[in-house]
Amino acid sequence: MFFASDNWAGAHPAINERLSRESTRFAAAYGTSDLDKAVEARFNEIFGREVSVYFVSTGTAANSLSLASVARVGGVVFSHSEAHVIEDECGAPDFFSNMRMVPVDGENGKMDPANLASGIAGFPQDSLHHGRAAAVTLTQATESGTIYTLDEIETLSTIAKANGLPVHMDGARFANALVALGTTPAEMTWKRGVDILSFGGTKNGCWCAEAIVFFNPELAKDFAFIRKRAAQLFSKTRFISAQFEAYLQDDLWLVMARHANTMADRLRAGIRSLNSTRLAWDTTSNEVFAVLNKASAEAAQARGAKFYDWPAPHAMPEPVKDDEMLIRLVTSFATTEEDIDQFLSICKAG
């Protein structure tokens, strides 16, 4: 019953096998091997256009260096007020980009378009003392477990483009959002105005594999130097490429994400059926937010269930009572039906 995070899950056997096979051979270093080049070409196929791809080790590195690539002196970056980049990355995006994050409110973990427009208007390009608008970053799927629709992505991108701002997408759970929407990588990114993507693999069955994807290679002209200076150019980059090769082969990445989402659907349905537990709000990804009475939560933890209690968001639909606890439950490619059913059984008994 490991629901603390999809980061807690191991690596898929196919990815482990590919890493093991790679460890027995020699290959050119620093991203110049035939494997590196083949996987970069695979990203072109996935997104249906020529892209520039750079591998890094963590999602925080992917987000921070993506924003560093579009940095402006005195720049500010707009994100949802509860997004990972502003809440959970220890100021790394600010540090590496030398810009500051400006929060934009919106319900369900998604930036409100009107709030974004007014936020950008507050930082005109000649705003010497307050700073100037430089970029917009959105999280897909969001930290609240919700997902931007294609139209919502396009609306935010249109506002950004009208102000000359590039759009970055934090896709740590990109695959989960993609299969939930039933769309294509191209439709969820560059066709809707996204310029740069942090493409996550670690939360979805990889060991340590993240990619920064530029949909306009011209934007990446200085990025090799940015990555090197940030100590994210690995000498044995092929071990990240090997993970992505297995991850993308035969749509394994989509199979794993679909399984995680299905397990979350099962969890959501079970919680709705219980009297002592309720969903805190509706989600459509592999994150589930529930309100349990404290006795049920403690009983589940005593039986080995792992989850995090969660701070109530600004727009919490229904307040959490003193004898209740708001928790986050995250499913993964390794979650089983038995895990879900055992957890629900404990909650029902509580």
Side-chain angles (χ1 to χ4, degrees), residues 3-8 84 139-147 169-180 188 197-204 210 247 253 257 260-261 285-289 308 310 328-332:
F3 304 117
S5 173
D6 33 13
N7 283 322
W8 283 44
H84 200 273
T139 311
Q140 181 76 328
T142 75
E143 285 299 287
S144 297
T146 55
I147 295 173
M169 176 180 283
D170 174 0
R173 295 187 174 94
F174 184 84
N176 301 99
L178 191 71
V179 298
M188 203 169 76
L197 167 69
S198 294
F199 182 91
T202 305
K203 294 181 186 295
N204 190 37
E210 309 288 318
Y247 185 67
W253 64 301
N261 286 9
S285 70
N286 63 319
E287 291 183 281
V288 179
F289 295 84
Y308 288 123
W310 205 253
R328 186 190 73 165
L329 304 157
V330 188
T331 55
S332 73

Side-chain angles (χ1 to χ4, degrees), residues 7 39 54 68 75 84 102 119-120 122 127 146 158 162 175 192 203 222 234-235 269 281 284 297 302 305 342 346:
N7 283 322
V39 174
Y54 295 85
H84 200 273
V102 172
I120 293 172
S127 180
T146 55
T158 299
R192 301 290 168 162
K203 294 181 186 295
D222 294 326
F234 289 85
S235 60
W281 56 84
T284 46
Q342 183 181 2
I346 296 169

Side-chain angles (χ1 to χ4, degrees), residues 71-82:
R72 297 179 183 177
V73 177
V76 298
V77 180
F78 301 91
S79 77
H80 189 269
S81 55
E82 292 159 354

Side-chain angles (χ1 to χ4, degrees), residues 6-21 201-209 239 242-260 332-335:
D6 33 13
N7 283 322
W8 283 44
H12 190 277
I15 292 170
N16 285 331
E17 188 279 329
R18 184 63 187 86
L19 278 169
S20 179
R21 186 154 40 93
T202 305
K203 294 181 186 295
N204 190 37
C206 289
W207 172 71
C208 176
F239 285 98
Q243 293 176 73
F244 275 129
E245 183 183 57
Y247 185 67
L248 300 173
Q249 186 172 352
D250 299 325
D251 288 339
L252 176 62
W253 64 301
L254 302 179
V255 171
M256 290 190 289
R258 195 170 288 115
H259 173 82
S332 73
F333 79 95
T335 304

